[in-house]
Amino acid sequence: MNRSSKLSDKTIVCLLVLLIFCIPISSLGQTKPNIIVFLIDDMGWQDCSVPFDQTASALNARYHTPNMEKMASQGMKFTNAYATPVCTPTRTSLLTGMNAAHHGVTNWTSPQRNNSSDNPDLDLQAVDWNMNGLSPVPNIPKTVFATPFPKLLQAAGYSTIHVGKAHWASMGTPGANPHNLGFQINIAGHAAGHPQSYLGKDNYGNLPGKASAQAVPDLEEYFGTDSFLTEALTLEALKALEQPVKNHQPFFLNMAHYAVHTPIMADKRFVQKYYDQGLDSMEARYASLVEGMDKSLGDIMQWLDQKGNASNTIIMFMSDNGGLSLKPQRGGEAHTQNLPLRAGKGSVYEGGIRVPMLVKWPGKVAANTVAKQYVMVEDFFPTILEMAGVRNPLLVQSIDGKSFLPLLKNPSLQDSSRSLIWHYPNKWIPKDGPGINYFSAIRQGNWKLVYNQRNGKKELYHLSKDLSEANDLSNSYPDKVLALSKLLSLQLKQWKAKMPVVKSTGKSLPFPDER
Amino acid sequence: MNRSSKLSDKTIVCLLVLLIFCIPISSLGQTKPNIIVFLIDDMGWQDCSVPFDQTASALNARYHTPNMEKMASQGMKFTNAYATPVCTPTRTSLLTGMNAAHHGVTNWTSPQRNNSSDNPDLDLQAVDWNMNGLSPVPNIPKTVFATPFPKLLQAAGYSTIHVGKAHWASMGTPGANPHNLGFQINIAGHAAGHPQSYLGKDNYGNLPGKASAQAVPDLEEYFGTDSFLTEALTLEALKALEQPVKNHQPFFLNMAHYAVHTPIMADKRFVQKYYDQGLDSMEARYASLVEGMDKSLGDIMQWLDQKGNASNTIIMFMSDNGGLSLKPQRGGEAHTQNLPLRAGKGSVYEGGIRVPMLVKWPGKVAANTVAKQYVMVEDFFPTILEMAGVRNPLLVQSIDGKSFLPLLKNPSLQDSSRSLIWHYPNKWIPKDGPGINYFSAIRQGNWKLVYNQRNGKKELYHLSKDLSEANDLSNSYPDKVLALSKLLSLQLKQWKAKMPVVKSTGKSLPFPDER
């Protein structure tokens, strides 16, 4: 019996052709994994109950992040993951695969166009940086023109969703709107870098006559309610995922919480136990922000489980810079909030740039593993494209990141020849702090060179022996200082990185190898 | 030669099964038409250069809407199309298929929850209407729970996009967010009913410390630019259409302009010629708002042409109520702006409810045709579902609208037995106006009964002989008054429509058949 012979050649060719056209957006056989970047704002390396150091600290004991613990137990912990010292440079690196010194968005972008967020300085002129942020189209003044990876994911059949803080570009430029960066759905993302309020009762800032540029958009259904911003964003994210999950369409979710950035407001669901512990009230509120963020992570993992999608979903947890360590914005003594790491947000010392990072990918990433190899935020770009099977994408930029997919498969891989670079030719706060305002740095292997652009001072640290960057070894290892200075300068010049200009001479400050 | 016999039965069955699963969301052979509802806010029946009356008027000569003319020449003009007297009731009827007396959202919704927009009255108590608007989920106080058709279109494979004014529900309720009503993409729609400003230079209202609940969301990329709101919305709509068009996915676009609602601000691209004509300056600005809206229509039609999608796209042009006719909000004498129609927005007289309507559907709707049969906004619901091939949808509401698809195929169809009903048991403005505040009305054939709820007065008009509702025939045709009173009352009672309550007695005002 051969009924197939009843079908003509033509019919079968037609069927096959139809199939070929169908499959790319078909609901059948979703082979591409779902990808979630769970990005926290201003969360320090110690701001959780998962120890990223070799031993658990007092801070790890203070914070309650059971869902991060669960995620770590199910996946890989990166103990040497880096971001840039402040948010927009990190977010731009994430979306473009470029180092901040290369994309030139070296400071946080003001909501207002052509408005540098740099503080004025007596001696130095503000550097001419890309103060309007990232642009997906060319010829927008003071922006970096680049191809954001969500555009590529979208073209590859992904449903692309941004929820929460965007802060990629200033108002009046295309990058202000996440839609233009490749996100089909944008919830609550705009030009601002923090929420005016976390409270539904405050309409997240949208009170008539009181709204600032930081009033959070898109959440009117929660106005006047008790929904904390972190919770509202989570609910909206899950709502947005309903459709791709139903259609078996792969999704990319950029779950970019406004938490735990200032204003440090109590998340009522969690704050009482921190008050009860006798914590400084600011720090109690901060801990509640952290726990609310962790609950969001748990809710999303639970939802994926319920939908049967957990096994095909990669979650990558990351913070956009180190924990804030300024007084009076934080409680306790200044620059102690990330101990044993030195300093905090804004600094090129480890406290400003080393961040918690976790990756969960059932079946692909072994449970309860630890990767010690250093990685950096621009590495997400090639990693995510590789995860999504996007090969040889058409990009307008050359990328600096390196896929950490091999590391996910084998966490023992080591590469001590790679160099990571930080470059911050800007003035973040009015008064210079430790590693804060006009600094560059380079890490290669366990060596790290810190370069003070203003006074030319170079410090050298050995990170595995001196995580706290307490012992400057520059005098003992002049050759290492020289080598790293050269490597750093070479790379900065290749990227056409800017240096601040001395007002009195009109000349740029020298690169590290020039003095 | 029969190569097909090389394929086994199993293979072919597999291919067929795969195809069956593929086709619903396949990019091939898009058989469902794209659908655009192009909804204008507060545009009157005479506010264009297309005459909707039998002869062109002075107002038709004043306005320049060449793209509406083009659309009319390519499709069908409805000369007896109706909305409700104000916006939210119309928008709710559009999305639910229910008459306003049935859904109970009889007045415009305040952005603030549980806040009736009704003006206070000395004698009458505000009616207990659904002041929080439309809800897609049950048990939200003071809302109508209904299934909005975009949810059904989305389930049927449509890409569903809302751009512009939403105004379906108050902040703090799910309906405030168009996402919850079935729109996958929402641009600039929220709980407010008008824009704070049409100007990019004003950030559409989002100026720190000055923003009201009417500040337009989502358009930060145009902040500080010269982009007029109408233009920005059009650009964003076309951007949102790129993807479904590229994927050959059918789309539904609710292009709901904020224009031509107050604040009546000049669209600089067009206003000068109206000033030059010596028009009252308010009316010159108004005409520029109208022309800017028309340009948007033209831009969308042109874009569809360029993309090769015009032939498979239905466009339905409609306004949400009659033209505003109050002084000093409009120039000229009060209630003359919609002549020959009586009164304007807020009124149950024709000026408040009869609106311009055009439908273009190449190959399906004959060019340059006119339909005189009366239709109403709730008719869009079954019409759109029929166009999209959605049969027997699961609805939580019973619908009142009637598909006008037969009319699109044959504009000479007539049904003079159908009755249309308006019910406005609310106080729109502080001082009663012509047909404004506490009125109901019914049209059957050419007869129209107008019922003043406050004083019980009934007026009867014959619309084909007396379009301006100038000659009250109630004394001459008492039987007609009686019959229409009964019909109106019966229907209102069936829908459990509310009547205002007399403060002194605590009793509801009588239905028209009760006095």
Side-chain angles (χ1 to χ4, degrees):
Chain A
M1 190 178 81
N2 189 348
R3 276 179 305 192
S4 66
S5 59
K6 289 178 194 162
L7 288 166
S8 71
D9 278 19
K10 207 171 154 187
T11 310
I12 288 173
V13 168
C14 280
L15 283 173
L16 286 168
V17 167
L18 274 171
L19 259 178
I20 287 162
F21 279 85
C22 281
I23 286 167
I25 61 159
S26 163
S27 63
L28 266 190
Q30 183 192 322
T31 52
K32 291 175 186 292
N34 305 312
I35 303 170
I36 297 177
V37 170
F38 196 91
L39 186 68
I40 314 307
D41 197 8
D42 282 6
M43 180 186 175
W45 197 58
Q46 290 284 331
D47 296 346
C48 53
S49 47
V50 174
F52 281 86
D53 196 2
Q54 288 172 344
T55 52
S57 67
L59 287 166
N60 296 145
R62 171 193 294 183
Y63 295 106
H64 297 274
T65 58
N67 296 295
M68 284 183 70
E69 290 178 42
K70 190 173 172 187
M71 191 178 160
S73 76
Q74 296 176 344
M76 193 174 290
K77 176 164 80 171
F78 285 75
T79 57
N80 283 265
Y82 288 100
T84 77
V86 297
C87 54
T88 314
T90 287
R91 285 158 201 267
T92 304
S93 291
L94 174 69
L95 241 60
T96 64
M98 302 166 85
N99 185 276
H102 188 191
H103 62 57
V105 187
T106 49
N107 203 357
W108 61 276
T109 48
S110 163
Q112 273 65 48
R113 192 170 38 160
N114 301 329
N115 183 28
S116 176
S117 58
D118 282 42
N119 278 279
D121 190 78
L122 269 181
D123 305 320
L124 299 176
Q125 203 170 296
V127 77
D128 180 29
W129 62 290
N130 281 328
M131 64 184 69
N132 291 329
L134 168 61
S135 173
V137 295
N139 303 320
I140 307 294
K142 298 184 192 302
T143 65
V144 56
F145 168 43
T147 307
F149 75 78
K151 276 193 177 235
L152 305 167
L153 292 185
Q154 193 185 131
Y158 272 76
S159 169
T160 54
I161 300 160
H162 171 82
V163 179
K165 170 169 162 173
H167 203 194
W168 280 294
S170 300
M171 294 169 175
T173 75
N177 187 346
H179 281 295
N180 297 330
L181 302 172
F183 291 102
Q184 290 160 292
I185 291 180
N186 165 44
I187 297 162
H190 63 146
H194 65 85
Q196 188 173 349
S197 168
Y198 282 96
L199 304 183
K201 290 281 182 216
D202 292 345
N203 297 359
Y204 311 112
N206 298 278
L207 294 168
K210 293 186 183 169
S212 70
Q214 282 73 32
V216 183
D218 299 335
L219 300 173
E220 290 193 359
E221 74 178 280
Y222 303 95
F223 284 10
T225 73
D226 271 328
S227 294
F228 201 72
L229 178 57
T230 310
E231 174 76 2
L233 293 175
T234 308
L235 292 172
E236 289 302 294
L238 295 181
K239 245 194 259 170
L241 291 183
E242 285 282 357
Q243 221 216 355
V245 161
K246 196 175 141 205
N247 292 344
H248 300 276
Q249 185 189 5
F251 63 77
F252 170 67
L253 169 65
N254 193 48
M255 182 74 230
H257 275 293
Y258 279 99
V260 296
H261 198 294
T262 56
I264 297 174
M265 298 173 85
D267 188 331
K268 273 198 220 165
R269 299 171 298 172
F270 307 105
V271 75
Q272 193 55 47
K273 70 167 164 289
Y274 299 103
Y275 286 142
D276 292 347
Q277 283 168 25
L279 270 187
D280 167 280
S281 67
M282 180 71 82
E283 293 306 287
R285 292 199 296 273
Y286 185 77
S288 78
L289 269 182
V290 168
E291 191 167 347
M293 169 284 292
D294 182 78
K295 168 152 193 309
S296 168
L297 177 66
D299 289 349
I300 290 173
M301 292 197 295
Q302 190 181 17
W303 186 89
L304 290 168
D305 275 337
Q306 283 165 357
K307 297 280 173 182
N309 275 68
S311 64
N312 194 30
T313 302
I314 304 164
I315 307 180
M316 294 188 272
F317 184 105
M318 181 81 171
S319 174
D320 70 343
N321 48 245
L324 185 67
S325 65
L326 303 179
K327 279 282 279 189
Q329 292 92 324
R330 285 289 299 271
E333 217 178 308
H335 305 304
T336 63
Q337 290 77 1
N338 301 292
L339 289 177
L341 304 188
R342 186 171 176 185
K345 179 180 182 180
S347 176
V348 300
Y349 289 128
E350 296 288 302
I353 56 178
R354 196 184 288 216
V355 291
M357 177 175 161
L358 302 168
V359 178
K360 179 189 174 208
W361 189 359
K364 296 287 177 79
V365 170
N368 214 12
T369 45
V370 178
K372 292 179 185 166
Q373 172 60 39
Y374 44 87
V375 294
M376 194 153 168
V377 62
E378 50 260 38
D379 298 344
F380 277 68
F381 186 106
T383 307
I384 288 171
L385 290 181
E386 205 178 340
M387 287 166 163
V390 177
R391 286 184 190 88
N392 305 315
L394 210 64
L395 302 177
V396 297
Q397 74 274 28
S398 63
I399 71 161
D400 310 307
K402 196 182 153 189
S403 171
F404 52 79
L405 207 57
L407 212 53
L408 290 175
K409 290 173 183 165
N410 178 6
S412 65
L413 288 180
Q414 287 213 345
D415 175 4
S416 57
S417 67
R418 184 185 184 194
S419 56
L420 297 185
I421 284 175
W422 296 266
H423 182 60
Y424 199 32
N426 302 79
K427 191 166 184 181
W428 183 53
I429 48 174
K431 195 167 171 290
D432 293 353
I436 295 174
N437 298 346
Y438 309 119
F439 274 86
S440 304
I442 182 169
R443 174 175 180 174
Q444 189 180 42
N446 274 311
W447 290 104
K448 181 174 170 189
L449 181 84
V450 171
Y451 173 61
N452 184 326
Q453 298 163 5
R454 189 196 285 277
N455 62 20
K457 194 181 169 205
K458 296 169 192 172
E459 298 164 19
L460 183 73
Y461 300 103
H462 190 280
L463 291 175
S464 69
K465 293 178 190 158
D466 176 24
L467 181 62
S468 299
E469 297 166 289
N471 303 311
D472 176 8
L473 303 173
S474 55
N475 290 332
S476 317
Y477 296 88
D479 291 354
K480 188 48 84 179
V481 170
L482 195 65
L484 288 176
S485 292
K486 277 192 179 169
L487 194 56
L488 173 57
S489 303
L490 186 73
Q491 189 56 73
L492 290 178
K493 288 172 193 171
Q494 232 171 47
W495 285 332
K496 299 189 169 58
K498 301 279 172 63
M499 277 288 179
V501 171
V502 180
K503 284 180 178 173
S504 59
T505 64
K507 286 186 183 161
S508 290
L509 285 171
F511 282 92
D513 65 342
E514 295 166 351
R515 63 185 182 187
Chain B
M1 190 177 83
N2 190 346
R3 276 178 307 192
S4 67
S5 60
K6 289 176 191 165
L7 289 165
S8 72
D9 278 19
K10 208 172 156 188
T11 310
I12 289 176
V13 168
C14 281
L15 284 174
L16 286 168
V17 167
L18 274 170
L19 260 178
I20 286 160
F21 278 86
C22 282
I23 285 166
I25 61 158
S26 163
S27 62
L28 264 192
Q30 181 192 322
T31 51
K32 290 175 187 292
N34 304 311
I35 303 169
I36 297 177
V37 169
F38 195 92
L39 186 68
I40 315 306
D41 197 9
D42 281 6
M43 181 186 174
W45 198 59
Q46 290 285 329
D47 296 346
C48 54
S49 48
V50 174
F52 281 85
D53 196 3
Q54 288 172 344
T55 52
S57 67
L59 287 166
N60 295 146
R62 170 192 295 183
Y63 295 107
H64 297 274
T65 58
N67 296 295
M68 284 183 69
E69 290 176 42
K70 190 173 169 184
M71 192 179 161
S73 76
Q74 296 176 344
M76 195 175 289
K77 177 164 79 172
F78 285 75
T79 57
N80 283 266
Y82 289 99
T84 77
V86 297
C87 53
T88 312
T90 286
R91 284 158 200 268
T92 304
S93 291
L94 175 68
L95 240 61
T96 64
M98 302 166 84
N99 184 276
H102 187 191
H103 62 58
V105 187
T106 47
N107 202 357
W108 61 276
T109 49
S110 163
Q112 273 65 50
R113 191 169 39 161
N114 301 330
N115 184 28
S116 176
S117 58
D118 282 42
N119 277 278
D121 190 80
L122 269 179
D123 304 320
L124 300 176
Q125 203 169 296
V127 76
D128 181 28
W129 62 290
N130 281 329
M131 64 183 70
N132 291 329
L134 169 61
S135 174
V137 296
N139 303 322
I140 307 293
K142 298 185 193 302
T143 64
V144 57
F145 169 42
T147 307
F149 75 80
K151 277 195 176 233
L152 305 168
L153 292 185
Q154 193 184 132
Y158 272 75
S159 169
T160 53
I161 301 160
H162 171 82
V163 179
K165 171 169 163 173
H167 203 195
W168 280 295
S170 300
M171 294 169 175
T173 75
N177 187 346
H179 281 297
N180 297 330
L181 302 173
F183 291 102
Q184 290 161 293
I185 292 180
N186 165 42
I187 298 162
H190 62 147
H194 65 86
Q196 190 174 348
S197 168
Y198 282 96
L199 303 183
K201 290 282 181 215
D202 292 346
N203 297 357
Y204 312 113
N206 298 277
L207 293 168
K210 294 186 182 169
S212 70
Q214 282 73 30
V216 183
D218 298 336
L219 300 174
E220 291 193 1
E221 74 178 282
Y222 303 96
F223 284 11
T225 72
D226 272 327
S227 295
F228 201 74
L229 178 57
T230 310
E231 174 76 3
L233 294 175
T234 308
L235 292 171
E236 288 302 294
L238 295 182
K239 246 193 260 170
L241 291 184
E242 285 283 356
Q243 222 216 355
V245 162
K246 196 174 139 203
N247 293 344
H248 300 277
Q249 186 189 6
F251 64 77
F252 170 67
L253 168 64
N254 192 48
M255 181 74 232
H257 276 293
Y258 279 100
V260 298
H261 197 293
T262 55
I264 296 174
M265 297 172 86
D267 188 332
K268 273 198 219 163
R269 301 172 296 173
F270 306 105
V271 75
Q272 193 55 48
K273 68 168 166 286
Y274 299 103
Y275 286 144
D276 293 347
Q277 283 168 26
L279 271 185
D280 167 281
S281 68
M282 180 71 83
E283 292 306 287
R285 293 200 296 275
Y286 185 77
S288 79
L289 269 182
V290 168
E291 192 168 346
M293 168 285 291
D294 182 78
K295 169 153 191 311
S296 167
L297 177 65
D299 289 349
I300 290 173
M301 291 199 295
Q302 189 181 16
W303 186 89
L304 290 168
D305 274 336
Q306 282 164 358
K307 296 280 174 183
N309 273 70
S311 63
N312 195 30
T313 302
I314 304 165
I315 308 180
M316 293 188 272
F317 184 106
M318 182 81 170
S319 174
D320 70 342
N321 49 245
L324 185 66
S325 64
L326 302 179
K327 280 282 278 186
Q329 292 95 323
R330 285 289 299 271
E333 217 177 308
H335 305 306
T336 62
Q337 290 78 359
N338 301 293
L339 288 177
L341 303 187
R342 185 170 177 185
K345 179 179 180 180
S347 175
V348 300
Y349 289 127
E350 296 288 300
I353 55 177
R354 196 185 289 215
V355 290
M357 176 176 163
L358 301 168
V359 178
K360 181 190 171 207
W361 190 359
K364 295 287 177 80
V365 169
N368 214 13
T369 44
V370 178
K372 293 180 185 167
Q373 172 62 38
Y374 46 87
V375 294
M376 195 153 168
V377 62
E378 51 259 38
D379 298 344
F380 278 67
F381 185 107
T383 306
I384 287 171
L385 290 181
E386 205 178 342
M387 286 166 164
V390 177
R391 287 186 190 85
N392 305 316
L394 211 64
L395 301 177
V396 297
Q397 74 273 30
S398 62
I399 71 162
D400 310 306
K402 194 181 154 190
S403 171
F404 51 79
L405 207 56
L407 212 51
L408 291 174
K409 291 174 184 163
N410 178 6
S412 65
L413 288 179
Q414 287 214 342
D415 176 5
S416 58
S417 67
R418 184 183 184 194
S419 55
L420 298 185
I421 283 174
W422 296 266
H423 182 60
Y424 200 32
N426 303 79
K427 190 167 184 180
W428 183 52
I429 48 173
K431 194 168 171 293
D432 293 353
I436 296 175
N437 296 345
Y438 309 119
F439 274 86
S440 304
I442 182 168
R443 174 175 179 174
Q444 189 180 41
N446 274 310
W447 290 104
K448 182 173 170 191
L449 181 85
V450 171
Y451 174 62
N452 184 326
Q453 298 163 7
R454 189 195 283 278
N455 63 20
K457 193 181 168 204
K458 296 171 194 171
E459 298 164 20
L460 183 72
Y461 299 103
H462 190 280
L463 291 175
S464 69
K465 292 177 191 158
D466 175 25
L467 181 63
S468 300
E469 298 167 288
N471 303 310
D472 174 8
L473 302 173
S474 57
N475 289 332
S476 316
Y477 296 89
D479 291 355
K480 185 51 81 178
V481 170
L482 194 66
L484 287 176
S485 292
K486 277 193 176 165
L487 194 57
L488 173 57
S489 303
L490 186 73
Q491 188 58 73
L492 289 178
K493 288 172 191 170
Q494 231 171 46
W495 284 332
K496 300 188 169 58
K498 302 279 171 63
M499 277 288 179
V501 171
V502 180
K503 284 180 177 173
S504 59
T505 65
K507 286 187 184 161
S508 290
L509 284 171
F511 283 91
D513 66 341
E514 295 165 353
R515 62 183 181 187

